[in-house]
Amino acid sequence: MYHNNLKIFIMFSIVIVVVLTVIHYVLMFFFCSDTGVISVQSATYGRTSSQICSIGRPPSETSNTQCSIDVTAVFKRCNGLRECESQGLALKDPCFGTYKYYTTNYICIPAETSVTCHGGYSYLKCENGKIQINAANYGRTDKTTCSEGRPSSELQNTNCYSPNALAPVSKSCNGLESCEVFATHTVFTDPCVGIYKYLAISYFCLPPGVHSSIVCEHETSALNCDNGTVIRIHSANYGRTDSSTCSTGQPASQLAKTDCYALNSQTVVTSGCEGKNNCSILASNSFFSDPCVGTIKYLYISYSCVSK
């Protein structure tokens, strides 16, 4: 028997793929170790199997297995965090009368984290290497962070995300050994007026010798290493995180969305390139799906060449 306050705790180490399936009203709890952060690979709501979450349900509620929608809110809510709660984030019912469940696939990746309350400065630093921002949000996704001394009314909205947080943080910090970012609505806009917000950042310290590749939609990214070395993928995203990349000649309406991420970016690029001397990846919806219809996208990859 399920209860509304049920929590499902999952703890896995880095590079382990986690698949978590729960029914609609159960509170999911994702967790990574102290050295890892969540990277959601896919999140769906619906039914693709007649067996999962079927106990006690009539056949009429479990027979439709062609019912599934992506839940991108899980990506926004959880990516880059050590732990994350998620419940009821689907925006619509994909198949009325069918008993549905959430399926979330995520991995834990090694990263540094920083959390700064509103009005403070976030200081990021790499002792060895350069900063590469993984995820950023100015808003609120839980009721406990930066809550001391704040009235309850300022903590209630935990679905508060800044639509443009990644772009200014990346612009200020990527490629540097250290940087600081001001946690304020004048930098990130105010995604939830009246709610006390904080800036949460996760980032990598990329070692010397890391290469990056950016190609526009419909172009091919070609990664190459010298003889005796192979590709190691550090990060990848097919989508859009700023309004300037691949913008020449494009209408502003197709560049405005800067929180666009294909959930399977890392998986697709890693499976196609990791451990190879060279590889080619097409920046296309046919490979990654379309994370933001109507937006001009591009493929960003960071990688290094390591000895076999």
Side-chain angles (χ1 to χ4, degrees):
M1 181 176 181
Y2 293 101
H3 299 279
N4 288 338
N5 62 350
L6 176 65
K7 289 186 178 181
I8 296 181
F9 290 88
I10 304 290
M11 181 177 179
F12 287 83
S13 61
I14 296 165
V15 309
I16 295 296
V17 176
V18 184
V19 179
L20 180 62
T21 300
V22 300
I23 55 178
H24 173 69
Y25 51 80
V26 172
L27 179 63
M28 295 183 289
F29 188 85
F30 310 102
F31 183 75
C32 289
S33 68
D34 290 342
T35 58
V37 297
I38 296 165
S39 177
V40 176
Q41 305 297 293
S42 65
T44 60
Y45 176 60
R47 175 169 290 278
T48 57
S49 167
S50 60
Q51 302 301 313
I52 297 174
C53 296
S54 62
I55 297 176
R57 314 309 303 189
S60 61
E61 294 185 359
T62 60
S63 59
N64 182 2
T65 58
Q66 303 297 316
C67 166
S68 181
I69 58 172
D70 291 333
V71 186
T72 57
V74 176
F75 179 94
K76 293 181 180 180
R77 184 178 185 84
C78 298
N79 263 17
L81 302 180
R82 301 272 192 225
E83 58 183 50
C84 175
E85 292 182 351
S86 173
Q87 183 180 30
L89 294 180
L91 297 179
K92 63 179 181 179
D93 189 335
C95 46
F96 291 101
T98 294
Y99 192 63
K100 293 165 285 291
Y101 51 84
Y102 286 92
T103 301
T104 303
N105 179 324
Y106 75 97
I107 60 176
C108 296
I109 57 178
E112 305 293 330
T113 60
S114 170
V115 177
T116 306
C117 302
H118 170 77
Y121 282 89
S122 178
Y123 297 95
L124 312 185
K125 185 176 182 179
C126 287
E127 296 291 345
N128 297 295
K130 307 293 185 180
I131 295 170
Q132 176 66 44
I133 301 300
N134 172 53
N137 181 53
Y138 175 70
R140 176 166 291 278
T141 58
D142 65 63
K143 295 181 181 180
T144 56
T145 303
C146 293
S147 61
E148 185 175 355
R150 313 308 304 188
S152 177
S153 60
E154 294 184 358
L155 309 174
Q156 295 304 306
N157 183 355
T158 58
N159 289 306
C160 175
Y161 318 98
S162 175
N164 66 336
L166 187 61
V169 176
S170 297
K171 186 176 181 180
S172 298
C173 297
N174 277 356
L176 302 179
E177 294 181 355
S178 64
C179 69
E180 61 180 46
V181 184
F182 191 24
T184 175
H185 60 82
T186 59
V187 175
F188 299 102
T189 71
D190 193 337
C192 46
V193 177
I195 297 298
Y196 190 66
K197 291 164 282 290
Y198 53 87
L199 175 62
I201 301 171
S202 70
Y203 64 101
F204 310 115
C205 290
L206 297 181
V210 172
H211 310 281
S212 62
S213 168
I214 297 178
V215 296
C216 303
E217 189 172 355
H218 306 306
E219 296 179 356
T220 298
S221 177
L223 312 186
N224 295 280
C225 288
D226 294 334
N227 291 335
T229 62
V230 294
I231 296 167
R232 179 187 177 189
I233 300 298
H234 294 285
S235 62
N237 182 56
Y238 176 68
R240 176 167 291 278
T241 59
D242 65 63
S243 58
S244 58
T245 303
C246 294
S247 61
T248 302
Q250 305 296 341
S253 61
Q254 296 182 13
L255 307 172
K257 185 173 179 59
T258 57
D259 60 342
C260 173
Y261 317 89
L263 299 184
N264 62 344
S265 299
Q266 187 89 8
T267 301
V268 170
V269 174
T270 299
S271 64
C273 296
E274 187 83 10
K276 297 181 179 179
N277 177 255
N278 61 80
C279 69
S280 297
I281 300 288
L282 179 63
S284 167
N285 295 340
S286 61
F287 276 84
F288 296 97
S289 75
D290 192 341
C292 45
V293 177
T295 293
I296 300 296
K297 292 164 282 290
Y298 55 87
L299 174 60
Y300 169 83
I301 303 171
S302 67
Y303 70 100
S304 59
C305 296
V306 298
S307 298
K308 288 184 179 180

